[in-house]
Amino acid sequence: MYDNLREIRKSKSISASHMKKLLGLKTEGAYYKKESGIIKFSLDEAKKISEMLGMKIEDIFFGNKVSINDTFHTSA
């Protein structure tokens, strides 16, 4: 789900072990569950990640793709 985060993390040579420590998780598996979208990141976790990467939260966690449902409004 968070392919952008994974790509950024790998491009900066940041390990899942480092990320688990940053977020206070017990295992790398717990981090991978978050990165894959099985478990959601909390806002606090997203903030920690964005600060560590020096990027905005929305640039990490939200893609540039907009669904067609978000682009059309229907009149009631």
Side-chain angles (χ1 to χ4, degrees):
M1 179 174 190
Y2 297 111
D3 294 331
N4 192 36
L5 171 58
R6 182 177 295 119
E7 290 175 23
I8 295 166
R9 178 177 64 78
K10 287 183 175 186
S11 74
K12 294 180 179 271
S13 300
I14 299 169
S15 68
S17 179
H18 181 82
M19 298 298 279
K20 95 171 164 104
K21 290 175 188 172
L22 174 72
L23 301 179
L25 301 172
K26 292 183 181 186
T27 66
E28 288 177 33
Y31 174 74
Y32 283 124
K33 285 182 180 180
K34 288 183 173 279
E35 191 176 73
S36 66
I38 295 170
I39 298 173
K40 305 277 187 211
F41 285 99
S42 70
L43 184 56
D44 184 54
E45 290 170 333
K47 185 177 177 190
K48 286 179 183 178
I49 291 169
S50 70
E51 288 173 353
M52 190 260 307
L53 295 174
M55 299 175 68
K56 294 178 183 178
I57 289 175
E58 54 270 18
D59 291 341
I60 299 167
F61 292 96
F62 302 104
N64 292 329
K65 297 178 182 175
V66 177
S67 77
I68 193 159
N69 293 332
D70 293 335
T71 59
F72 294 103
H73 296 283
T74 57
S75 299

